[in-house]
Amino acid sequence: MNQSFFTKNFISSVVLILVAFTLAGGAFFYQMDRYAKEEKEEQLKATAESIAELTGYAVKTGDEVNIAVLDVSLKNTADQDQMSILIADPTGEVLMRVEPDTRDIPKGNRVPMPVVRKLMQTGVYSETGTLGTLFRESNYIVGTLCQDTDGTDMALVFVAASTKRVVGMLQQVTKIFVVILMGALACALVISYFISSRMTRPLKTMANAAKEFAAGNFSVRVPEDNRCDEIDELATSFNNMARDLEQLEELTQGFIGNVSHEFKTPMTTISGFVDGMLDGTIPEDQQKKYLHVISDEVKRLSRMTMSMLAAAKIQSGELIISPVPFDFSEMTSEILFSFEQKINNKNVEVDADFADRLMVMGDRDHVFRAVYNLVDNAVKFIDDGGTLRVSAYPAGAFCEFSICNTGGGIPAEDIPYIFDRFYKTDRSRSRDHSGAGLGLYIVKNIINLHGGDISVRSDGGETEFSFTLPLAPVTKAGKFQK
């Protein structure tokens, strides 16, 4: 079953918190148990050594007063610290035993010989157990030797404390720790819930915005100030995408409108003239004239169709070039001659400066289309009686081409978008009654596919387009490589 990102994030946080608290609790209890045992053992050891000193002094003097003092001291220690105290002779026979008031005294009266031997050998003894049959319940037991000044063993001293007391203390600490742990866990879960909710809120907003996009509403935006760099970066990218989609939608709608209009006009012209010829409205002596008009309109439709096919191939990455050496100057001159009638109709002064035999490496058909589109635009938007400057010359390993025309120019705010698909602006292209905003887009991609760059400048009443193409490599024999 699919789960929301919020649910997964919250569950992950809960599991992480539980694991962290479990590990922390386990480490705490382990250290606490170890500390309690070591502390109790140190306490018993210190008590055993103190009692051994008192016992040695009492036994050495044999004074009844000292023995009585020893007995009282042992009883006070046993009652206050809830300890059992045993004093045995070197053979293990228990000579004196003192228990807390609440402790039952077992019938056992001898320390096991293995314990006696170990205590004799090492001078100390410790265990958690019953010391044979001397205790009914498990105890922490520490033993020490009571020796004379000459090193003679006088007695064995054992001090024991019930493990229940240590366990009881640990249980009390555990209860307190569990209460604190549950409170901290509850607070952590609440905080985790709100953090997860805050983290997923921008994603939910983006999901809702995406649904709006699917419904055709591209004006929706998401907040970019979420106090998280990654989320803010995602929100910024999302909004940029939304703006691009909104612009693309506007351009696409404009493109559809332009294409519909551009296709409708020549088709209406063609249909009207053909019908006029068929029904005799146009006399035979004028039919040739109108056939030329029909031919021009058909070519116009063909150019628009080819532009759309080229744009589609560029968009899908299917536009393939086949570079071969060819004379760029010759090709450009050919294109300019094809515009001779339009240039003369506008009384345009042409200033052409081409290097002789300027061989470039490229796909001639595609480069021809790119240059043709630039010349067509320049002639279309030049003022009557204006100047058209065209130049092409080698610069390093590249051919540099530029075409500049006088006229109204392109507004500065339109320059960044001039090479975008479907882009047309009424202000800079008010006289553009043909095309669908694909010409410059195709030009830029053709030049880029050849490894060149294209730029545009529009100021001072002039508009200039410039691009570069790689020159054809030359062999040592002076021939161009294919």
Side-chain angles (χ1 to χ4, degrees):
M1 181 177 65
N2 293 332
Q3 293 179 332
S4 66
F5 177 75
F6 168 77
T7 303
K8 291 181 178 179
N9 187 69
F10 180 66
I11 291 176
S12 299
S13 299
V14 170
V15 172
L16 181 62
I17 291 171
L18 289 176
V19 170
F21 273 87
T22 300
L23 293 176
F28 174 79
F29 289 128
Y30 172 78
Q31 292 294 336
M32 196 64 190
D33 180 67
R34 181 179 175 183
Y35 172 78
K37 290 180 179 178
E38 291 178 352
E39 186 70 15
K40 178 57 68 174
E41 185 174 344
E42 288 296 323
Q43 180 186 4
L44 294 175
K45 184 177 180 181
T47 303
E49 291 175 351
S50 176
I51 293 173
E53 291 180 3
L54 290 175
T55 302
Y57 180 75
V59 171
K60 183 177 180 180
T61 58
D63 185 32
E64 293 184 358
V65 175
N66 290 333
I67 294 175
V69 170
L70 174 64
D71 184 58
V72 172
S73 178
L74 294 180
K75 287 182 178 179
N76 289 335
T77 301
D79 290 338
Q80 290 177 2
D81 298 334
Q82 292 294 297
M83 296 179 178
S84 298
I85 302 172
L86 283 76
I87 298 177
D89 63 17
T91 64
E93 185 73 23
V94 176
L95 302 175
M96 182 181 294
R97 178 169 187 162
V98 179
E99 297 282 353
D101 296 337
T102 57
R103 186 74 64 89
D104 294 332
I105 300 176
K107 295 180 179 180
N109 201 33
R110 179 173 289 276
V111 178
M113 286 308 299
V115 176
V116 174
R117 285 195 293 270
K118 185 174 181 180
L119 183 56
M120 291 290 192
Q121 292 172 358
T122 62
V124 293
Y125 177 81
S126 63
E127 73 161 272
T128 301
T130 58
L131 201 63
T133 59
L134 292 176
F135 298 103
R136 290 193 177 94
E137 299 174 350
S138 178
N139 283 261
Y140 295 112
I141 303 170
V142 172
T144 187
L145 278 173
C146 176
Q147 295 179 325
D148 198 354
T149 54
D150 59 359
T152 303
D153 295 332
M154 300 173 61
L156 311 178
V157 177
F158 293 92
V159 180
S162 175
T163 57
K164 287 184 177 181
R165 290 183 57 81
V166 177
V167 172
M169 180 190 69
L170 290 176
Q171 288 177 345
Q172 287 296 114
V173 173
T174 301
K175 290 179 181 178
I176 297 173
F177 181 80
V178 168
V179 172
I180 297 174
L181 182 67
M182 295 303 294
L185 181 61
C187 293
L189 293 178
V190 171
I191 294 173
S192 176
Y193 177 87
F194 284 105
I195 291 176
S196 299
S197 177
R198 183 178 180 85
M199 289 179 60
T200 56
R201 190 180 300 121
L203 300 180
K204 291 180 180 179
T205 303
M206 292 180 196
N208 293 331
K211 292 178 182 178
E212 292 291 328
F213 294 166
N217 180 15
F218 297 103
S219 63
V220 180
R221 298 292 183 268
V222 297
E224 297 182 6
D225 184 15
N226 300 283
R227 298 182 181 179
C228 176
D229 292 341
E230 290 78 5
I231 296 294
D232 289 345
E233 184 177 350
L234 178 61
T236 301
S237 300
F238 191 90
N239 287 336
N240 290 337
M241 178 193 69
R243 280 188 286 271
D244 292 341
L245 287 174
E246 186 175 22
Q247 183 183 30
L248 181 61
E249 178 69 12
E250 293 175 358
L251 292 174
T252 303
Q253 290 177 357
F255 167 74
I256 294 173
N258 289 336
V259 169
S260 299
H261 174 73
E262 299 303 332
F263 271 86
K264 180 180 179 181
T265 301
M267 290 177 67
T268 301
T269 302
I270 294 170
S271 176
F273 288 158
V274 170
D275 289 342
M277 293 179 189
L278 292 176
D279 61 18
T281 304
I282 299 177
E284 290 186 8
D285 59 342
Q286 295 186 11
Q287 286 183 3
K288 186 175 182 180
K289 169 187 174 182
Y290 289 102
L291 284 174
H292 281 295
V293 176
I294 291 173
S295 176
D296 291 340
E297 294 298 326
V298 170
K299 291 176 181 177
R300 177 181 166 189
L301 287 173
S302 177
R303 287 195 301 270
M304 291 178 62
T305 303
M306 293 299 294
S307 294
M308 286 186 286
L309 289 175
K313 287 183 177 180
I314 290 171
Q315 184 67 19
S316 61
E318 296 177 0
L319 187 66
I320 300 174
I321 62 172
S322 301
V324 294
F326 69 90
D327 192 336
F328 183 82
S329 296
E330 179 186 2
M331 182 202 71
T332 307
S333 298
E334 177 185 337
I335 293 172
L336 282 175
F337 283 129
S338 68
F339 283 89
E340 182 178 6
Q341 184 176 354
K342 293 182 179 180
I343 290 174
N344 291 334
N345 290 340
K346 286 191 171 185
N347 297 318
V348 174
E349 180 183 347
V350 178
D351 180 10
D353 182 15
F354 301 142
D356 292 334
R357 195 165 168 74
L358 186 57
M359 302 298 292
V360 299
M361 180 64 75
D363 189 311
R364 191 180 190 281
D365 291 338
H366 290 315
V367 175
F368 186 97
R369 176 182 296 170
V371 176
Y372 186 94
N373 284 349
L374 291 177
V375 175
D376 184 41
N377 277 351
V379 173
K380 186 184 301 180
F381 301 116
I382 197 170
D383 290 339
D384 289 344
T387 301
L388 179 66
R389 295 194 301 273
V390 187
S391 65
Y393 52 89
F398 289 89
C399 158
E400 290 197 5
F401 171 81
S402 68
I403 180 168
C404 177
N405 69 296
T406 57
I410 304 172
E413 62 268 20
D414 293 328
I415 294 292
Y417 311 105
I418 203 70
F419 294 108
D420 290 351
R421 280 186 306 161
F422 313 139
Y423 190 82
K424 292 179 70 175
T425 171
D426 292 334
R427 292 170 297 176
S428 65
R429 298 304 190 205
S430 59
R431 291 170 288 170
D432 186 5
H433 301 299
S434 63
L438 291 172
L440 293 177
Y441 169 76
I442 294 172
V443 171
K444 182 179 186 299
N445 281 274
I446 288 175
I447 298 303
N448 291 157
L449 283 172
H450 282 80
D453 293 317
I454 186 168
S455 61
V456 58
R457 173 188 63 82
S458 185
D459 53 44
E462 290 187 346
T463 300
E464 181 181 19
F465 285 87
S466 304
F467 68 72
T468 59
L469 284 176
L471 292 173
V474 182
T475 63
K476 294 182 179 179
K479 297 182 179 179
F480 293 100
Q481 296 180 357
K482 295 185 177 179

